[in-house]
Structures are given as structure tokens and as C-alpha cells.
Amino acid sequence: MQENKEFDLEKLQTWMQVVISHAGGIEAGIASEEAQREFEIAPDSLERIICRSNNLTSTERLGIYGNAYFARLLECLRESFPALAYALGDELFDEFSLEYLQRYPSQSYSLCELGGHFASHLQETRPDAEQRASGEIDWPDFLIDLATLEWNIEQVFDGPGTEGIPSLAIEQIEAVPPEQWSQMILRPGPSLRILEFQFPVNDYYTEFRQENKPEMPAPRPQYIALNRREYVVRRLEIEPLEYRLLERILCGNSLGDVIQRVAAEAEVPLEQFAELLQQWFQKWTTAQFFSSISSPQAETSID
Amino acid sequence: MVEPRLGHPNLGLGVGLRTVHFPYILEKHPPVDWFEIISENFIDSQGRPRHTLDQIAERYPIVMHGVSLSIGSTDPLDFQYLEKLKKLAGETDARWVSDHLCWTGVAGRNTHDLLPVPLNEDTLRHVCSRIETVQDYLQRPLVLENPSSYVTFAESTMSEWEFLTAMTEATECGLLLDVNNVYVSSVNHDFDPYEYLGHIPYDRVVQCHLAGHTHCGTHLIDTHDGKVIDPVWQLYREVHRGTGGISTLLEWDAQIPPFEVVHAEVLKAKLYMEENLPSDGPQTQGESTGEAVLPHPLHFVAPEVQ
């Protein structure tokens, strides 16, 4: 095999990637500093690198890849965040997405990872704090909440689940001997996620899916538990106190510790709290939030 | 002496497995010969897609087709990705594992496009070295597809068929001959598709692809969004004659119709095996509607949520 000493594949690929992924288009890409570092070339000299065809110039041919780059990734983001795309409208969603793709270009072999930083990107690029403090604008929080919800739904859908494995039944909780109760630890199913929002984005998402064309809602805290049963993502609104309990349970704290801390913080009479707990355990087991209950000290597991 | 199809079986007429068809396939068990999956849609799945694939793999032969191997890139190979490919291939009893002669990104980035490589001795050496590494790791021959492309490089010194032939002879990798891509590239790069096919080492072709594309006036884009057009069927007839029968798969990735329509489309291949014309006459080319037309790959699985 002959070797062409002049040829540098890495240089060519770096240049081509810069050019076709330039937000300003192919010609701006060719003229960009990054591309010029690889090849000092004017757009009208492109034939030194890319041949023309009978019908198209070199620039037009390279432009096919440039057009496809953003169009493909925008389509993927629209599929990942359909409610957010609706809330923003096509033009604004595309604008936000273009910014996002330049800041967080894909580094994964999978398109399923593409939207992983979208909510944090919205957080990082939100309008300044002064406007927020004065209450002039609140829509950034709504958008961030909505992006967070949609991303988590996607992760729960194709992440780990407990299909085919029995979940914890209320009878198993009731069977725990009273003297062991406070040391017991609830083990969540792998798909369980709890989310805290400043806006009722779960309601908005439901309205959107029912094609009811929802308007941006007024702010109201909303707490949501997501998990998956039979391969379908389930959304369940939970109460603020329930959220605090689940938050501590998911950290692996014992039930005694969780209940003591949350009851103290909530300033709820113990009797009332016990009643609420009973309702929630019933609700959580019906929703299949947990896989087992165990006592690390006694090394017993009731699952 | 090379065995036909490098010793792989002729699986018959298959269909690209797409999520919209999951319920139909699970319920009806249609008499399709085999399925090809997009590897990246399943290698990380722990939910419905993987569960469905496992059920389908119990009934049908599965072939894995990837879009992110990036065999032509100057970035290091991603061994974590290869490990997942190997694991899934074992778990689904994949008959073979394929990807494309292309690169998808450099500097740690993925453009999610199948970008062409300049066709010269340097690139050939680079690609062959990486194929050998991948084959050693996967412990099976890799099968690589000719991509459809929209540019050619001043640094190219050989034709695509010369490159493919040298590549398969040097590494003993298999070829996935995408007949639609040959046609698309022939229009885009002004070459004769029959000359291309005339130089293909058919005994090294393991599989072929069929698909629809979009005519944009001055060029064609490989959109996988419609029926196979007559000139592509005519090329397929040539491929069938040259190979003596080959695993044939139809890809349909955008504006996907019901499963029966997709299946009926690939079954038309039988007509070209018997030197007959299709009963419903030649298909016209899909004209661009002015909306963005996207070359594939595009792979995304929408979640099911209540």
C-alpha cells in the first residue's frame, strides 16, 4: 500500500465535523477559526477538499450534512420533550435546542442520551436572578420543571424495573414484629423516582397528552412519584410530607429515623401522623414502590 | 475458496424491527423470515424495548445492525460499546453484527450521521486495522454496509467498490450491500450503479438492504420513508443473480406504515428472484415536499406513560 504523506484523516474529520455542525451554516463553518485551524481555506476553494458533482457544488453537497445535523438532533429532542416543545412553540423550542446542542453536543453512541442535560442547560441559561427575585418572570422555572419531568419519564421507561419480580405487599409490612419496626429499611424498586416541582407540571403534562392545549399554569408546588409497572411509566401525585418521607427512605434511612425526623419537622400530632402513615403505606404498596423490607441489625429480610 | 455469504445462511426476506410494530408482531406473529434490529435501541434497554426483543428473538432469527461503531473515525474505538454489542449478540443469538463503512464523529463527539471516509490507501489501512480489532473483540466477523453519501473527497484515490473489495479481502469481514444506497450514491456521485455491482465480490456479501429514498431534484437522500423504486428493484435483481440468493431486508424508518405494508414490500423481492416484473408496476420516486428530509440514521424510542 502506498502512503500519502500529506493526507491526515484526523485533520479532515475534525474539520468536517466543525463545518457541518456549525450553527451558522456551512460557509460560516468553513470560515470559523476552529475550521481554519485545520484547513486555511476559503469557501470558494472548497473543491480542494470536497469534489463537486454534475448537479451540485462542493458547498451544496457538504450542506446536505450540515442541514441534516441539526434537523436530526432537533427531531430527537422534540420526541424527548414533546410537552416542552408544545409549551415553547416550535420556533422557541428550536432556538433553545440549537443553543443546547452547541453547548452540549452528543458524546454518546445513543440518541437516548441526547436530552440528558437539557433541564440543567435551561437552568444555566435562565434570565438573571434579579428578575426572578422581583417576580417579573417565572416561566423559566416552569420550563425547567417540565423538562425535568419529561426526561425522568424517559429514563424510567427504559431504565431498570421490577417486571416479573414480586413487589412488597402491605401484609409483609404488617407482619413486621413491633420491636423491629424502627430498625426496618424499605428497599425501593429500581424505577422509583420522586420529583419536587414549583409548578404543577404533572397536571400540565396530562392535559397536553389529552390534547387539551393547556396554558402555562400558575405556580403551585407539586410532588410526583414515578415508577414503572408492566413496562408503562406511572405518575402519582404525592403530598409534600409524603415526599419528605420518601426522600429519606430512598437515602436508605431506617423507618424509625425517617418517621421521627419527618414528624418533628412537620409538627403533626403523632396520632395523626400514624394514621397518615398507614394510608401511605397502603398507597405505596398498591403502587408497587418497594421491593422488600429488611432489618440490617437482625439480618432479616421480609420480601 | 470463500464460501458463499462467508458461510452465513440465507435467512430469506426480513424486516427492520421498529417499535411501532411491536404490538402487531407480538399478537399476530406474522410469517416474516427474520428481523434486523438497530443495535443502539436495545443495548442499554431495561424496559419494554428489550422485553419485546427477547420475545421476538424466541420466534425469529435476529440480526444486529448498528449506527455508532464509527469504524472509520480517528477517535479510539469504544470498548464499552463493543462489550454491550457482544453481550446483546450473545443474548439474542444474533446471526451476525453489522454497521457501516463510515465515521460518526471525532473528538469525543457523535454527529449521529453516517459520514463518508475518503477512499484511499491510508484510510483503507486505518479501517482494516480497526475492523480486525473489533472482530477479535466480538469473536465473530463484522459485516459492513456501503453507506449512501452526499460528498466525495479530493483525497480519494479509489472507487467505493475497490475499497470494499480490498477491505473484505484484507480482514475477511462480510459486506452488507445496500442496494438503495448504491443507487442513491450513483446519482449523487455520477457513477453507473451496474458498474459498481459488477465489481462487488458477491461471495463476501452476507446480506442486502432495500429501502425507499427521496428525490430532491439535484440529488437523492436516503430517507427510508417509502417504497422501493423500480430502478432499485432492477439492481436487486442483479444482486440476487450475482449472489445466488441472499438475506434481504427492507428498512422503513420514517412515515412508517402498518406492518403488513412493510412486509408486503419486502415480499416483492420474490418477483425479482424469478425474473418477473412486479404486479403493481414500477414505483415512482418519492418527491421532496420541501420539508426537511433527513438521511438516516435516526433512532429513538418514545416512552409509554400513563
Side-chain angles (χ1 to χ4, degrees), chain A residues 240-253:
Chain A
L241 209 51
E242 230 184 322
Y243 177 86
R244 300 290 165 223
L245 271 172
L246 286 168
E247 195 177 30
R248 289 183 180 279
I249 289 170
L250 289 175
C251 288
N253 296 318

Side-chain angles (χ1 to χ4, degrees), chain A residues 2 4 12-13 17 21 49 51 54-55 61 65 72 75 106 108-109 158-159 209 228 231 233-235, chain B residues 44-46 51 68 72 74 84 105-106 110 112 150 152 154 188-190 294-295 297-298 304-306:
Chain A
Q2 289 177 350
N4 176 0
L12 179 66
Q13 291 183 336
Q17 181 170 278
S21 62
I49 303 173
C51 305
N54 287 345
N55 289 334
R61 299 180 90 193
Y65 289 104
R72 171 182 295 111
E75 188 176 326
S106 175
S108 169
Y109 53 79
D158 214 15
R209 284 178 57 86
R228 195 179 76 207
Y231 300 104
V233 180
R234 319 284 168 157
R235 296 172 290 135
Chain B
D44 289 314
S45 173
Q46 298 178 77
H51 175 63
S68 289
T74 47
K84 290 177 179 180
V106 281
N110 191 347
H112 298 282
Y150 311 98
T152 48
N188 292 343
H189 308 321
D190 312 304
L294 290 184
L298 184 64
E304 286 172 66
V305 58
Q306 280 191 343

